[in-house]
Amino acid sequence: MIDISESVMQFLLAFIVAAPLLGAAAALLPAPPGLKGRSPEQAVLRHGVTVTGAVLLAAIALTLGFDHDQPSRMQATTDISWIKALDVRIHLGVDGISLPLLVMTALLTFLSALYTYFKQPAGPSPKAFVALLLLLESGTLATFAVLDLLLFFLAFETVLVPMYFLIARWGGEGRQQAAWKFILFTLLGSVVMLLGLLLIGLKAGTFDMVALATDNGRGLSTSLQVTAVLAIGIGLAVKTPMWPLHSWLPDAHTAAPTVGSVLLAGVLLKMGTYGFVRIVLPIAPDGMQVFAPYLAAFAVAGIIYGSLACLALARPGASGDLKRLIAYSSVGHMGFVLLGIATMTPTGVNGALFANIAHGLITGLLFFLAGAVKDRFGTADLDTLAGATGAALYGRAPHLGGLLAFTAVASLGLPGLAGFWGEMLAMFGAFHPAPGLSRPAFLTFMAVAGLGTLLTAAYLLIVVRRVCMGAAPTGTEPRLADVQAYEYAAWTPLAVLTVLAGLWPAALLGLTDPAVQQLLAGGKS
């Protein structure tokens, strides 16, 4: 930890939230003549890299200045009255739960901007693309930083518009339908969520998330908590996405441009699970306890469903799309996150938060690699890639094939890599759920989730065999480019962090555990 004053920490957090929004507005302005370089398009893409890079540096500085001895305490807080009539405040802060999500969001957005600078997506003006990318980053960072229920809702909704246009304007085949499905599902869920947030805020007399968490639902009746959890949970479950509210996700991922898929999987899905941990668990614990078994049941159903869907897509003759398969795998992986949350125990919730970060790193890298494979072969269809003898990436592009195999085994939860710890802790939490929850039911959920890990390994190994292995090149195949320098720059941080998180889980759990313990205890040390 570096000794940084509280005022500087406040500035850093405010900068992290506001800079991408200002950068989005600046991206639409004409570039000064001296900054245009070879073309105005190059200038605006460089602008995106600069702004996201500055935000990432600020996030790293915030992490260095964060008091790691007190991760349960809200730090870098700003609290300014905004709408006095409703007592809505611009309340920002960061603790051990939100800090890793802020840093991961800043990292993934920077890597996406860097990747876009060298490989501009085909479509309309780059100005609009960069502006939408920065607006998306601002909304996501704000979601993890705000401590007011209504501000949380506004930030939660901000990301919908840029993601809709990224899919609809820069996506591939079926992009219009996928974009509409995405916006309709998420908007309908958000309307219901808003009703739940208003119900809590108006009945409790405050929208302040810290005050509400400290009260721990004592000022809210059980029936009100049940109603609020149902309403808020629907909106969060759509964004997560929880089975059976997931059907927008495969279409959105299949149609989205590469960086759109990276940010959708790596960042946007985390907003739903973060809402469960930050809002539902501490503010309405009695209501959450009523719905926890149902949430766990839907979670393990999603684990099995996602795995079976991936197995169906991976089999020969199914014409499965690689990006679509990864999207369905997200349904399964996020099921482990929801299972950990449903246990309402420190072990389970810590596992959920760890799995959140692991999924962002690993699946973000998987979508980068799937985009690279599609660029090289002109398709992501697994039957076309495999052909008669396999795509043989090991022989034709060994570095790309090796990275794909590495990321696949990380995704299946190989010990020593990031994907292992979150899923294991979620199942440990199910082994001993919170008092008041049925242990036999959660033991059943744990067993079903364990079966899901086996199915996950099966479909990922099938994908590796079909795409990476095959007959050795004879010299007659078209030349296939291996990993380029800019791809190494964008992908290496994710691969390195996947290894570090797997070998040194205490670095992340040391941040989240004290904050989770306090959150579950109602804000009391």
Side-chain angles (χ1 to χ4, degrees):
M1 183 187 76
I2 297 176
D3 188 17
I4 299 178
S5 69
E6 183 66 16
S7 59
V8 174
M9 293 283 283
Q10 291 172 348
F11 170 77
L12 286 172
L13 185 57
F15 176 83
I16 288 168
V17 173
L21 188 61
L22 298 175
L28 299 174
L29 300 175
L35 297 178
K36 286 185 179 180
R38 292 193 300 270
S39 68
E41 286 78 12
Q42 183 194 37
V44 76
L45 293 172
R46 187 167 57 243
H47 170 77
V49 176
T50 303
V51 174
T52 56
V55 171
L56 176 59
L57 290 175
I60 293 172
L62 184 71
T63 303
L64 294 175
F66 187 81
D67 186 353
H68 291 261
D69 294 328
Q70 301 184 68
S72 61
R73 179 175 66 86
M74 280 295 171
Q75 302 181 36
T77 54
T78 299
D79 192 0
I80 304 170
S81 179
W82 184 34
I83 305 175
K84 290 187 177 180
L86 295 175
D87 193 28
V88 178
R89 310 182 69 81
I90 300 176
H91 191 182
L92 306 177
V94 63
D95 65 357
I97 293 172
S98 52
L99 181 63
L101 290 166
L102 279 172
V103 176
M104 185 178 71
T105 299
L107 174 65
L108 282 173
T109 313
F110 169 69
L111 296 179
S112 295
L114 183 66
Y115 186 85
T116 303
Y117 178 76
F118 291 98
K119 189 165 186 61
Q120 180 182 333
S125 163
K127 279 179 173 289
F129 187 93
V130 171
L132 291 169
L133 190 69
L134 293 174
L135 180 60
L136 183 69
E137 180 182 31
S138 180
T140 311
L141 291 169
T143 301
F144 299 136
V146 298
L147 297 172
D148 182 277
L149 289 179
L150 291 186
L151 276 185
F152 175 86
F153 176 77
L154 291 176
F156 197 86
E157 293 303 285
T158 298
V159 304
L160 302 185
V161 174
M163 183 53 71
Y164 167 81
F165 282 109
L166 286 174
I167 297 171
R169 301 296 300 277
W170 286 270
E173 185 179 350
R175 60 183 182 271
Q176 293 293 340
Q177 181 181 354
W180 274 110
K181 200 170 183 180
F182 163 77
I183 200 77
L184 288 175
F185 264 78
T186 49
L187 275 179
L188 288 173
S190 297
V191 168
V192 180
M193 183 178 76
L194 176 60
L195 297 177
L197 296 175
L198 289 174
L199 179 62
I200 285 178
L202 294 175
K203 286 293 183 180
T206 180
F207 290 98
D208 186 271
M209 291 158 65
V210 176
L212 288 166
T214 302
D215 188 62
N216 201 219
R218 285 182 286 270
L220 304 172
S221 67
T222 300
S223 60
L224 186 144
Q225 289 189 38
V226 169
T227 305
V229 169
L230 178 61
I232 297 171
I234 289 174
L236 297 175
V238 170
K239 188 66 73 71
T240 296
M242 181 186 78
W243 180 91
L245 303 175
H246 70 284
S247 59
W248 61 269
L249 184 72
D251 291 340
H253 270 309
T254 304
T258 296
V259 297
S261 291
V262 169
L263 294 176
L264 181 58
V267 177
L268 265 69
L269 304 190
K270 312 304 174 283
M271 296 166 64
T273 50
Y274 173 78
F276 275 109
V277 175
R278 178 65 74 195
I279 298 173
V280 178
L281 272 176
I283 295 176
D286 295 339
M288 179 63 185
Q289 190 166 55
V290 171
F291 282 107
Y294 303 100
L295 180 63
F298 283 124
V300 297
I303 292 170
I304 299 300
Y305 172 84
S307 299
L308 291 177
C310 289
L311 278 171
L313 290 170
R315 66 180 176 83
S319 297
D321 185 277
L322 181 58
K323 290 184 69 178
R324 194 173 190 85
L325 184 146
I326 299 170
Y328 273 110
S329 77
S330 290
V331 177
H333 288 304
M334 297 309 289
F336 282 98
V337 178
L338 290 173
L339 176 62
I341 293 169
T343 68
M344 299 183 68
T345 63
T347 300
V349 176
N350 275 303
L353 293 172
F354 198 103
N356 251 349
I357 300 299
H359 179 267
L361 297 173
I362 296 169
T363 308
L365 182 53
L366 271 176
F367 275 114
F368 268 132
L369 294 168
V373 169
K374 187 173 183 179
D375 290 337
R376 286 158 172 77
F377 286 92
T379 182
D381 180 84
L382 285 170
D383 286 338
T384 305
L385 290 173
T389 59
L393 279 183
Y394 286 156
R396 302 177 66 188
H399 293 171
L400 180 59
L403 264 175
L404 182 59
F406 162 81
T407 314
V409 297
S411 185
L412 63 82
L414 185 74
L417 298 175
F420 171 73
W421 294 105
E423 295 181 2
M424 184 193 71
L425 289 172
M427 289 192 285
F428 276 0
F431 187 72
H432 278 298
L437 297 178
S438 169
R439 192 176 183 218
F442 273 83
L443 286 174
T444 304
F445 298 146
M446 182 190 72
V448 175
L451 174 62
T453 62
L454 298 177
L455 296 175
T456 301
Y459 71 73
L460 284 169
L461 292 175
I462 289 172
V463 169
V464 170
R465 177 176 60 80
R466 299 191 70 199
V467 177
C468 296
M469 301 180 186
T474 62
T476 60
E477 295 88 349
R479 184 176 178 274
L480 194 65
D482 209 340
V483 181
Q484 305 295 299
Y486 73 91
E487 292 172 326
Y488 273 123
W491 304 344
T492 300
L494 300 179
V496 170
L497 288 173
T498 297
V499 175
L500 287 178
L503 296 177
W504 191 26
L508 183 55
L509 294 173
L511 275 175
T512 62
D513 184 54
V516 167
Q517 297 275 2
Q518 179 165 303
L519 208 65
L520 293 176
K524 297 177 182 178
S525 301

